[in-house]
Amino acid sequence: MNEEPNQAPVSIPEETLQKWEARGVSRRDFMKFCTATAATLALPMSFIPRIAEAIDDARLPVIWVEYQSCSGDSEAFLRANQPTAADIILDIISLEYSEVVMAASGHQAEKSKHDAMEKYKGKYLLIVEGSIPTGEHGAYCTVGGESAVEGAKKLIANAAATITVGTCASFGGIPAAAPNPTGAVSVMELVPGAAVINLPGCPVNADNLTATIVHFVTFGKLPATDRLGRPKFAYGKRIHDNCERRGHFDAGQYAEAFGDPAHRQGHCLYKLGCKGPETFHNCPTVRYNEGTSWPIMAGHGCLGCSEPNFWDTMTPFYRRLPQVPGFGIEATADKIGLGIAAGTALAFGAHGVASAFRKGDDAASDHVKKEK
């Protein structure tokens, strides 16, 4: 991240750095985390000391509950790095309840959740994973004898703010797909008007979750959101806009089948069903597994999992989108690609190098020379 013009070097108090070193976190790693968080949140470098101060003074009480979920979001969080889940749990937040990582079970676990809700009423951060089934009065999901509907409403009402992790909690996800036998709904549908921010994805990107928590700790409020309640820093741009294969799309170069030469050369996956043109997420820039890769980089098209009702609206997953947004109502990928390719060919032809578009370079070159 480049420094701003005329800005003094970022400085974190020595006392703060010493505290984190005592916890086993090197100065370099701590600075790297604060810088990466500021970058993810699209904040200038001048905010790095403020982030460092906030997380140094933190231990925000957090209650993490699961309803209709596969625990994929919890697993993604547990595999977080820089900082690790252990760093976050032990140093940044105080995880009061989480079925996946807590030692207690049964009545003891439920007591921990109830006690934390009462002790930190209006101050704790609630994280919800999974959709909430409303069918049969909530009987399809009960925890400790209490339905998910009752439990979620109570926890949301007493929380300072709620973060939904994963598409199921954000938009209903797979459980809410037609015909939705359990009457699954999202958190926002269950409690309209509550202070909720959605972090959809299958699973949620742990970096986005960490950045959202740090934003709340630093500023005392949730980040700015789009119309679907998603933070703009993570869902403000289409995947298509930042995709490393975008240049191939613009040039009309598409893979026609998995494993074909174009696919192996990294050409656009639009014709193989990629939903990047209709999906908003920062997957291309943040990526997964410590920033190692993401689906399109690995050769598989985007499924649009961070969009509402993706299981119904984005399927069949391996069929191309009928239209590409942003290029005119009648413009399809074929027309865009062919139009740009044709324009490029004309430009090359005007400069006497049309041979770049032909096979048999020598013969083509001779022909061009004769024409000239």
Side-chain angles (χ1 to χ4, degrees):
M1 189 175 180
N2 297 325
E3 291 188 9
E4 297 174 347
N6 303 320
Q7 183 183 20
V10 174
S11 176
I12 294 179
E14 179 68 20
E15 182 181 358
T16 299
L17 294 173
Q18 290 178 355
K19 284 182 181 179
W20 283 89
E21 281 187 316
R23 297 169 183 169
V25 180
S26 70
R27 295 178 179 225
R28 179 183 177 84
D29 287 344
F30 184 67
M31 278 291 297
K32 186 176 181 180
F33 168 66
C34 294
T35 303
T37 301
T40 301
L41 292 169
L43 295 173
M45 287 188 68
S46 57
F47 278 85
I48 292 177
R50 185 170 176 179
I51 291 173
E53 180 183 0
I55 62 177
D56 185 48
D57 295 335
R59 289 315 302 280
L60 174 72
V62 172
I63 296 175
W64 186 313
V65 292
E66 289 188 52
Y67 299 120
Q68 285 190 130
S69 77
C70 65
S71 296
D73 303 294
S74 292
E75 293 295 336
F77 171 69
L78 292 175
R79 284 157 179 74
N81 191 283
Q82 299 175 355
T84 66
D87 293 332
I88 298 172
I89 293 172
L90 298 176
D91 297 320
I92 299 178
I93 66 174
S94 175
L95 190 59
E96 301 294 327
Y97 177 91
S98 171
E99 291 102 328
V100 173
V101 300
M102 67 191 305
S105 61
H107 295 296
Q108 290 181 330
E110 288 308 297
K111 186 177 186 304
S112 296
K113 179 171 64 177
H114 181 269
D115 290 349
M117 182 180 69
E118 292 297 328
K119 181 179 180 180
Y120 301 109
K121 185 177 292 186
K123 299 178 181 179
Y124 66 86
L125 187 65
L126 177 67
I127 297 179
V128 179
E129 179 176 2
S131 60
I132 298 95
T134 59
E136 297 297 328
H137 306 290
Y140 292 118
C141 182
T142 60
V143 181
E146 183 178 60
S147 73
V149 172
E150 296 171 346
K153 285 183 177 180
K154 192 184 303 180
L155 288 166
I156 294 167
N158 289 293
T162 299
I163 299 176
T164 68
V165 290
T167 304
C168 293
S170 299
F171 303 130
I174 294 175
N180 192 0
T182 65
V185 298
S186 68
V187 171
M188 279 188 166
E189 290 175 300
L190 183 71
V191 187
V196 177
I197 191 166
N198 293 323
L199 299 180
C202 280
V204 66
N205 190 306
D207 288 350
N208 290 335
L209 173 58
T210 302
T212 302
I213 292 174
V214 170
H215 187 285
F216 186 80
V217 169
T218 304
F219 301 103
K221 61 182 180 179
L222 296 171
T225 62
D226 63 12
R227 62 183 181 83
L228 297 174
R230 302 174 298 190
K232 290 182 178 180
F233 75 81
Y235 303 88
K237 292 185 178 180
R238 288 189 183 94
I239 280 180
H240 192 59
D241 297 332
N242 290 319
C243 180
E244 62 259 36
R245 297 175 188 250
R246 174 62 186 268
H248 293 291
F249 173 89
D250 292 341
Q253 297 173 325
Y254 306 104
E256 301 288 343
F258 287 104
D260 71 7
H263 181 254
R264 293 196 298 270
Q265 292 170 20
H267 289 185
C268 180
L269 302 173
Y270 171 79
K271 289 188 177 182
L272 300 183
C274 181
K275 305 304 188 292
E278 285 192 355
T279 304
F280 289 80
H281 209 167
N282 60 357
C283 296
T285 52
V286 176
R287 302 177 183 175
Y288 286 83
N289 298 326
E290 302 174 40
T292 302
S293 186
W294 65 296
I296 292 179
M297 185 177 180
H300 193 286
C302 169
L303 299 182
C305 70
S306 59
E307 296 300 312
N309 307 314
F310 85 98
W311 196 258
D312 295 324
T313 60
M314 298 294 186
T315 50
F317 289 132
Y318 298 105
R319 182 180 299 170
R320 57 186 289 178
L321 293 167
Q323 301 288 336
V324 179
F327 296 98
I329 193 167
E330 295 299 326
T332 65
D334 285 337
K335 293 177 182 177
I336 296 165
L338 289 174
I340 293 176
T344 306
L346 288 173
F348 275 114
H351 290 82
V353 289
S355 58
F357 282 86
R358 301 191 183 103
K359 295 180 180 179
D361 293 338
D362 294 338
S365 297
D366 292 339
H367 181 69
V368 172
K369 289 177 182 178
K370 289 178 181 178
E371 287 184 341
K372 290 178 68 177

